[in-house]
Amino acid sequence: MILAVIALKFLKYWLKVASTRTKNLEKNTADDESIDAFFNAFYDRISGGIWLWATILCAHFLKLPATISEYLYIALRIYLIIGVGLLILKAIAAIVDSLDALSIRYSNPDNLLRFYDRLRHLIPFLKRCLEFVIYVCMATLVIQQVQLIANIATFGPRIIKIIGIIFISRVLFEVVYLLIEEVLFKDQNLTDIQRSRRMTLVPLFRSFLQYLIYFGATVFILYALSIDPTPILAGAGIVGIAVGLGAQTLINDIVCGFFILFENYYLVGDYIEAGKAEDKVVEGIVEAIELRTTRVRHPNGQLQIIQNGNIGSITNYSKQYIFAVVEVGVPYNSNLAHVYKVIEEVGQQLKADDPDVLEGTQVDGVESLGESNLLLRTLTKVKPGKHLQIQRVLRKIFTNALLREGIVIPVRAESAEG
């Protein structure tokens, strides 16, 4: 017991020295807490092992029954297995934190570490997988020490393989998806249409890639469990045919999604109106086109999800140009030539000030005759998807310009969006 106390004193001193030197070596990685946690855990595990070893020697010295020593040896082995496993967990946390800090520190646009920031969200997943692997190894080794349940230990390597397959499939998915984005958007001289088309393809590639990799991972997991997947896949094919016959809506959505992409009905970033006449019309900016659905963001902020098979008729406001249509009410006694001139001058000024306006405002003519006013229809050619914003601006500046010219807008005048 005295020797155990002396050994622990020396151990504590040298571990403190080792911790200090490690901190100095890794002083730029800002992970001192991980290093301290590792060395404290190391001291606790070793001290527990030393005391158990001392207890076994005392049992031999006192000539206690051999059964007691045997059980103490088993307890020591189990303790060391658990202790070393927990120690490895602390070491892994320290190493991963150090590598994470170094990767961030040395990343720059000229090396491969420039991709690290986009893959950094996998670090917690990596830690969890490594923790599960260590726990499974610990459980396997502990079970092997108990003869009654030693046969269960054969499942340990299989579980580790499954964890590895899941981790590799997740990393493979993220890396391939990153490479797809890198290849598609590497060219900095893309036009707006080219960029929209490629942004449209990215979610589709992501969905297809996700299904493909997870299907492959499932097959490898079956092999890891010593299960032949061939009969299962054959049965799944038969079931898939039966389900496919009843899942016509799903197939219709996927087929319509391919037609939308290949025939270029709309792209990500386009402003559209879609839907069947008898249903509610979906309106807004396309955020994603997936295998089954299209995601459309309404101008008010709502995310609308519509099945590709139910897309119905489509009005695309983002093809080359669109007219901002504004209707202006003026009194019957107004000089229409003067009113036309004021409106067109305002439109030309707006074209000079706003890059979204492609051509100056033109008065299309008298739209209707009201009870107390004439309703004039104006057209302003603007960039795709900008018509709503420009219409609001035009209503304001038309009103101010007409009032400055002494043209009083009737109280009941109405304006509508085209």
Side-chain angles (χ1 to χ4, degrees), residues 154-168:
T154 57
F155 290 99
R158 297 181 183 181
I159 297 174
I160 292 174
K161 286 182 181 178
I162 293 172
I163 295 173
I165 291 170
I166 293 173
F167 175 74
I168 291 173

Side-chain angles (χ1 to χ4, degrees), residues 276-306:
K276 298 177 181 178
E278 62 273 11
D279 298 331
K280 181 181 178 181
V281 175
V282 174
E283 176 184 357
I285 298 174
V286 179
E287 287 195 350
I289 304 173
E290 299 176 342
L291 285 176
R292 292 189 57 248
T293 60
T294 294
R295 300 175 182 268
V296 180
R297 180 74 64 177
H298 193 274
N300 294 333
Q302 305 97 318
L303 179 62
Q304 306 165 103
I305 302 173
I306 182 170

Side-chain angles (χ1 to χ4, degrees), residues 89-363:
L89 287 177
K90 296 290 184 181
I92 287 174
I95 292 171
V96 171
D97 289 343
S98 298
L99 293 176
D100 179 44
L102 289 172
S103 298
I104 295 174
R105 181 180 167 196
Y106 291 108
S107 64
N108 62 69
D110 299 327
N111 58 31
L112 290 176
L113 288 177
R114 68 181 183 274
F115 300 118
Y116 178 73
D117 188 56
R118 297 170 64 182
L119 297 174
R120 195 183 178 199
H121 64 278
L122 292 174
I123 293 297
F125 182 64
L126 170 63
K127 287 184 176 180
R128 288 196 299 270
C129 289
L130 291 175
E131 288 176 3
F132 287 141
V133 168
I134 298 302
Y135 285 134
V136 172
C137 290
M138 289 165 53
T140 301
L141 293 174
V142 168
I143 290 172
Q144 288 177 347
Q145 308 306 314
V146 183
Q147 295 297 326
L148 293 176
I149 57 175
N151 293 333
I152 303 177
T154 57
F155 290 99
R158 297 181 183 181
I159 297 174
I160 292 174
K161 286 182 181 178
I162 293 172
I163 295 173
I165 291 170
I166 293 173
F167 175 74
I168 291 173
S169 63
R170 174 71 184 278
V171 172
L172 181 63
F173 170 71
E174 295 292 343
V175 170
V176 175
Y177 178 64
L178 179 63
L179 292 177
I180 289 173
E181 283 193 329
E182 181 71 12
V183 171
L184 290 177
F185 297 102
K186 185 177 182 179
D187 187 0
Q188 301 296 325
N189 299 320
L190 295 174
T191 64
D192 292 340
I193 295 178
Q194 289 175 327
R195 185 170 295 276
S196 295
R197 287 176 178 172
R198 298 188 182 193
M199 289 178 63
T200 302
L201 293 175
V202 166
L204 181 64
F205 283 149
R206 184 182 179 89
S207 298
F208 179 75
L209 183 66
Q210 184 175 9
Y211 292 135
L212 180 63
I213 290 179
Y214 289 165
F215 175 77
T218 303
V219 173
F220 281 111
I221 288 174
L222 291 175
Y223 277 119
L225 295 174
S226 300
I227 299 174
D228 186 4
T230 305
I232 297 176
L233 294 176
I238 296 173
V239 173
I241 294 173
V243 172
L245 294 175
Q248 296 181 10
T249 302
L250 174 63
I251 297 173
N252 183 45
D253 292 338
I254 295 175
V255 172
C256 290
F258 279 110
F259 277 114
I260 289 170
L261 291 171
F262 293 143
E263 297 192 11
N264 197 22
Y265 293 155
Y266 52 82
L267 301 173
V268 171
D270 286 358
Y271 191 97
I272 67 169
E273 283 185 3
K276 298 177 181 178
E278 62 273 11
D279 298 331
K280 181 181 178 181
V281 175
V282 174
E283 176 184 357
I285 298 174
V286 179
E287 287 195 350
I289 304 173
E290 299 176 342
L291 285 176
R292 292 189 57 248
T293 60
T294 294
R295 300 175 182 268
V296 180
R297 180 74 64 177
H298 193 274
N300 294 333
Q302 305 97 318
L303 179 62
Q304 306 165 103
I305 302 173
I306 182 170
Q307 295 178 345
N308 292 329
N310 295 332
I311 206 73
S313 60
I314 302 168
T315 302
N316 193 330
Y317 293 93
S318 300
K319 295 296 183 182
Q320 298 178 349
Y321 67 89
I322 188 174
F323 285 112
V325 181
V326 176
E327 295 178 347
V328 181
V330 296
Y332 274 105
N333 59 357
S334 300
N335 183 343
L336 292 183
H338 180 58
V339 172
Y340 285 16
K341 182 180 178 182
V342 171
I343 291 176
E344 290 175 355
E345 288 176 353
V346 169
Q348 289 296 331
Q349 184 61 42
L350 180 63
K351 177 180 180 296
D353 297 338
D354 195 327
D356 291 331
V357 179
L358 301 178
E359 293 182 4
T361 302
Q362 300 294 326
V363 181

Side-chain angles (χ1 to χ4, degrees), residues 359-387:
E359 293 182 4
T361 302
Q362 300 294 326
V363 181
D364 196 31
V366 178
E367 179 71 12
S368 64
L369 303 175
E371 295 181 0
S372 59
N373 67 298
L374 297 171
L375 199 60
L376 306 181
R377 187 172 186 263
T378 67
L379 301 176
T380 307
K381 184 181 287 189
V382 300
K383 290 183 179 180
K386 301 296 183 180
H387 59 293

